[in-house]
Amino acid sequence: MTDPSLPRDPAGTQLPPEESSAYVRAVETKQPANVAPAGTGLTPAAKGHGPTSASRVVSSPWFAVAIVVLAIALPFIDSGAYTLRIATDALIFVMLAVGLNVVVGYCGLLDLGYAAFFAIGAYTAGLLSTTFGWPIIATIPAVVVMAVVGGLVIGAPTLRLRSDYLAIVTLGFGEIIRITANNLDITGGPNGLFGIPDFGDFGYRSDVTIYWFTAVVVSLAVIASSRLGRGRLGRAWRFVREDEDAAEAMGIHTYKVKFAAYVTGAIFGGLAGVLFAVHQTAISPPSFNFLWSALILMAVVLGGMGSTPGVVVGALVISLLPELLRGAENWRYLVFGVLLIVVMIFRPQGIWPHTPSEPASAARREPDPQPEVTA
Amino acid sequence: MNAVLECRDLAVAFGGVRAVDGLSFDVHEGEVLSVIGPNGAGKTSAFNCITGFYKPTSGSVSFRGADITGGRPANIAAAGIARTFQNLRLFGDLTVLDNVRAGMHVRLRQNAFDAILRTPRYRRSEQVATDESHRWLDFVGVRSDRTTQVRNLPYGEQRRVEIARALAREPQMLLLDEPAAGLNHGEKEELLALLRRISDLGTAVVLIEHDMGLVMEVSQRIVVISYGKAIAEGTPAQIRTDPAVIEAYLGAEDAEARSEAEQIAAEQAEELRAHENRARSSAQEEGR
Ligand SMILES: Nc1ncnc2c1ncn2[C@@H]1O[C@H](COP(=O)(O)OP(=O)(O)O)[C@@H](O)[C@H]1O
Ligand SMILES: [Mg+2]
């Protein structure tokens, strides 16, 4: 039998199917997603990898809704004091991580003193609610203002400089805030502040109320940071991270854009501080040391810079893993460290890296008429 | 002819090197002006002075009557000057569409709260950004998948995306720094057609280019720069025969530069001749 679709040589014998060129074969076998075959301009490059069913499930909005519902339902599943404490801590840490992700992940600014904003939020809320007797809710606007002021003071001079300076200055800032809190009388010095009230009496156990409040605020923060990353400002952050000069050449005021990222991060950090102050009921300077800043940054890097789901997962891993390793007693921090190193070796881009993509609505369905080319 | 851009006695120096040294030229409304000159003549530096990336030590730049000397690049871009870079400067990790959306940034009307709340204004503005990006990509003839990271595109396509990004700024003036560098013959032909389409939009185009065939074909006027100064200015026909131009390409002082300059000059002279022949024969065909 001969296949009529195959070309024949004049003698009528069948030729083998035409071989693709060595170049095309090399491209196909080696880097299907990286190199579009040159010269085949009329067909769009093949999509490297279609969405797998798993990734389709997790990127659907219902997945996020399910997570939020699950988080809010937790006290019905297990309302033990230990569980709620760990869960509240983890959620606050998630909020810190998505906040820092705006600065580091989206905009590419290395902030080594992010805990400073956490401290500013916690101390502002703590001070106003204890010494001045404000309800916690009423301190929130003041916290936002203080966080923005802190962002202005540090950001204004340093964001004009190269980004390596920012790392050094923020590192110093983190320590200055902590040392200041340690030395002022009004902040309670080394003893800190205690007796910080909760959000009010809603007829439930106080720790359940605090957990719910935290879950709602953190869910909103995660959604807000994810959506911010997609709009005009979020794109500008990524442009700045990728190439500041090119961004400027498109009319993007890179200083303002970096500033917006830094201040947004400050607000997230400050609000997380409020949740922390309420949850702990007492705060003192050691709660805001460099280790905190380092751990938050680690959550961002471990999860996947610029990726909201990644950063959430990273934060949960960093905050919950030491608890899960409690059985290992004194070894747990060693095991924790080794695990982190292993992850970073095998997944340097993070557990759940950001993959730049377009919504389905952005892709053209039919190829457009080609602009005529005068050859 | 109205000038959109006026450069007067621009100068900028790096250490002892006077990259731009008293450069003056105008760009007229809607024209294609080519800037040519030997390597290191200061062409790119001149672009950088105009677009605010370098602060000129003296001289002035005015754009549509307003003084923009030493302004911030973002403000100059927002005023209506878009540019490309000699070495591609795309946002490599981002999608092709996102790269072009960058050009539209200053025109999009949405703020951070619109994005967080997904307001109708946000959706509308995002839709406009996507549609217009496609339009510009169509305009420059990008055929690759537009939803992948731009660094996956072939080089020639990336060059076109960079031009699309600049056009999305909807500039009154577009500065292109060696857009034909690294393109093959077919791609250069497409670039020529694209430059004509851009010019038809009414945009003034300033083109730094070494490919003399392209320059002679597309430019209304040419400015020749040597050692940071404009040494000749005129129509392609005038530049072709200008003795100062020939001198500039041959007059490099040290021997090494001289031989390189001679080689370039010889190549360009060759291209000029070939081009003239082509122009003559096509003129005959048209029976003019
Ligand atoms: N940022 C810079 N730092 C130091 N020297 C520079 C810089 N930019 C340009 N130059 C020098 O200025 C001269 C002109 O360069 P350039 O403007 O790139 O020339 P062209 O684009 O005409 O080839 C060269 O000698 C180059 O080395
Ligand atoms: Mg150059």
Side-chain angles (χ1 to χ4, degrees):
Chain A
M1 281 296 283
T2 57
D3 182 345
S5 69
L6 288 173
R8 291 155 180 280
D9 73 4
T13 51
Q14 196 167 346
L15 295 173
E18 198 170 357
E19 292 259 46
S20 49
S21 78
Y23 171 73
V24 172
R25 263 181 288 129
V27 165
E28 277 166 359
T29 54
K30 292 225 175 65
Q31 292 167 297
N34 268 343
V35 187
T40 56
L42 290 170
T43 47
K47 287 234 176 71
H49 25 244
T52 63
S53 51
S55 81
R56 223 176 311 128
V57 167
V58 296
S59 62
S60 99
W62 293 110
F63 185 72
V65 171
I67 300 269
V68 171
V69 169
L70 208 65
I72 291 176
L74 177 75
F76 297 114
I77 300 161
D78 179 355
S79 64
Y82 171 75
T83 305
L84 286 185
R85 187 166 62 77
I86 301 304
T88 309
D89 274 339
L91 287 177
I92 292 171
F93 200 70
V94 165
M95 176 137 179
L96 288 168
V98 294
L100 184 62
N101 183 42
V102 171
V103 183
V104 179
Y106 292 164
C107 201
L109 304 169
L110 186 52
D111 185 342
L112 294 179
Y114 190 63
F117 298 114
F118 188 42
I120 288 175
Y123 269 100
T124 305
L127 196 64
L128 291 176
S129 62
T130 57
T131 312
F132 298 95
W134 293 24
I136 278 291
I137 301 287
T139 68
I140 288 176
V143 166
V144 171
V145 169
M146 289 306 289
V148 171
V149 168
L152 284 168
V153 168
I154 294 304
T158 47
L159 290 171
R160 290 186 196 281
L161 304 172
R162 282 214 331 265
S163 58
D164 357 0
Y165 291 100
L166 184 69
I168 304 296
V169 173
T170 52
L171 181 62
F173 178 56
E175 288 304 283
I176 288 169
I177 291 291
R178 187 177 59 81
I179 293 166
T180 306
N182 206 27
N183 287 288
L184 288 182
D185 287 335
I186 192 164
T187 57
N191 298 330
L193 302 169
F194 38 86
I196 298 166
D198 59 18
F199 296 107
D201 187 2
F202 296 93
Y204 286 100
R205 251 167 55 200
S206 155
D207 59 348
V208 175
T209 314
I210 292 172
Y211 172 80
W212 272 335
F213 197 89
T214 303
V216 170
V217 170
V218 174
S219 300
L220 292 177
V222 170
I223 293 167
S225 86
S226 162
R227 289 182 167 189
L228 261 180
R230 276 186 224 139
R232 173 176 178 268
L233 180 59
R235 275 198 299 272
W237 286 334
R238 293 177 202 267
F239 298 148
V240 166
R241 182 195 67 201
E242 291 283 308
D243 189 330
E244 272 191 51
D245 285 344
E248 279 276 340
M250 290 298 112
I252 295 166
H253 204 300
T254 54
Y255 175 65
K256 286 187 195 159
V257 164
K258 287 194 271 186
F259 211 80
Y262 196 65
V263 169
T264 303
I267 294 172
F268 274 74
L271 293 177
V274 180
L275 297 173
F276 182 76
V278 173
H279 175 49
Q280 298 290 321
T281 71
I283 51 174
S284 60
S287 307
F288 309 100
N289 59 17
F290 173 69
L291 183 64
W292 263 99
S293 298
L295 284 175
I296 302 163
L297 184 62
M298 197 188 285
V300 173
V301 175
L302 180 78
M305 292 206 278
S307 151
T308 302
V311 167
V312 171
V313 170
L316 292 176
V317 169
I318 299 278
S319 59
L320 295 179
L321 200 55
E323 295 301 327
L324 298 178
L325 292 172
R326 264 187 190 280
E329 296 293 332
N330 290 335
W331 293 92
R332 65 183 174 133
Y333 284 108
L334 180 65
V335 176
F336 178 59
V338 170
L339 281 176
L340 289 183
I341 292 171
V342 168
V343 172
M344 290 326 288
I345 288 174
F346 290 103
R347 273 191 90 81
Q349 73 279 44
I351 296 171
W352 190 332
H354 174 73
T355 43
S357 61
E358 293 285 342
S361 60
R364 283 254 160 130
R365 270 167 201 86
E366 48 202 273
D368 271 78
Q370 294 304 309
E372 73 285 18
V373 174
T374 52
Chain B
M1 267 291 183
N2 280 335
V4 251
L5 184 87
E6 293 174 26
C7 297
R8 290 288 167 271
D9 305 313
L10 273 186
V12 71
F14 301 100
V17 182
R18 291 204 223 136
V20 179
D21 189 12
L23 176 66
S24 300
F25 69 95
D26 288 353
V27 181
H28 300 159
E29 217 141 318
E31 75 171 340
V32 178
L33 172 75
S34 285
V35 175
I36 65 171
N39 278 326
K43 305 181 293 294
T44 299
S45 300
F47 267 25
N48 284 337
C49 288
I50 294 167
T51 51
F53 286 94
Y54 293 166
K55 306 288 167 229
T57 46
S58 62
S60 69
V61 185
S62 78
F63 179 61
R64 302 205 295 162
D67 183 28
I68 57 165
T69 319
R72 198 188 165 93
N75 295 339
I76 293 173
I81 301 180
R83 67 171 294 177
T84 64
F85 293 86
Q86 182 167 349
N87 308 306
L88 275 174
R89 296 286 288 271
L90 288 166
F91 308 113
D93 276 352
L94 307 186
T95 65
V96 175
L97 284 168
D98 261 353
N99 270 270
V100 183
R101 289 183 186 118
M104 258 160 333
H105 180 85
V106 294
R107 281 187 288 124
L108 292 181
R109 292 281 159 260
Q110 52 159 285
N111 59 37
F113 297 102
D114 291 321
I116 292 176
L117 301 174
R118 295 267 160 96
T119 60
R121 186 161 67 154
Y122 167 80
R123 290 169 195 276
R124 222 176 306 125
S125 145
E126 287 297 292
Q127 190 62 49
V128 168
T130 303
D131 292 347
E132 281 197 24
S133 298
H134 278 299
R135 206 184 91 210
W136 286 116
L137 289 163
D138 291 343
F139 185 84
V140 301
V142 167
R143 294 133 189 176
S144 304
D145 181 0
R146 297 163 181 186
T147 62
T148 57
Q149 289 172 299
V150 75
R151 64 170 141 81
N152 295 338
L153 265 53
Y155 178 79
E157 290 270 277
Q158 293 193 23
R159 281 261 170 209
R160 280 195 282 268
V161 174
E162 203 193 19
I163 295 175
R165 182 178 71 180
L167 286 171
R169 180 65 284 285
E170 299 197 343
Q172 272 82 40
M173 188 173 85
L174 175 64
L175 308 181
L176 299 171
D177 200 344
E178 302 198 17
L183 299 189
N184 63 33
H185 181 74
E187 289 170 330
K188 281 185 185 175
E189 293 284 344
E190 287 184 14
L191 176 65
L192 176 63
L194 172 59
L195 291 174
R196 294 211 163 112
R197 287 201 300 278
I198 295 171
S199 188
D200 287 344
L201 297 174
T203 310
V205 178
V206 186
L207 178 70
I208 294 179
E209 193 39 70
H210 282 305
D211 185 311
M212 282 304 142
L214 184 65
V215 167
M216 292 297 162
E217 189 92 29
V218 79
S219 329
Q220 271 97 60
R221 290 190 313 127
I222 297 174
V223 173
V224 186
I225 298 187
S226 178
Y227 293 107
K229 290 187 183 65
I231 55 160
E233 189 184 321
T235 62
Q238 289 165 338
I239 294 301
R240 224 172 266 158
T241 52
D242 192 311
V245 177
I246 315 283
E247 174 64 26
Y249 278 97
L250 294 176
E253 261 148 359
D254 62 298
E256 225 173 305
R258 190 187 176 92
S259 66
E260 193 192 332
E262 272 172 2
Q263 200 186 330
I264 292 169
E267 278 168 22
Q268 292 184 343
E270 182 63 39
E271 279 184 56
L272 282 185
R273 262 196 303 280
H275 174 73
E276 258 174 320
N277 288 339
R278 254 206 319 275
R280 247 201 309 280
S281 57
S282 67
Q284 279 165 358
E285 272 167 37
E286 283 168 30
R288 267 192 275 135

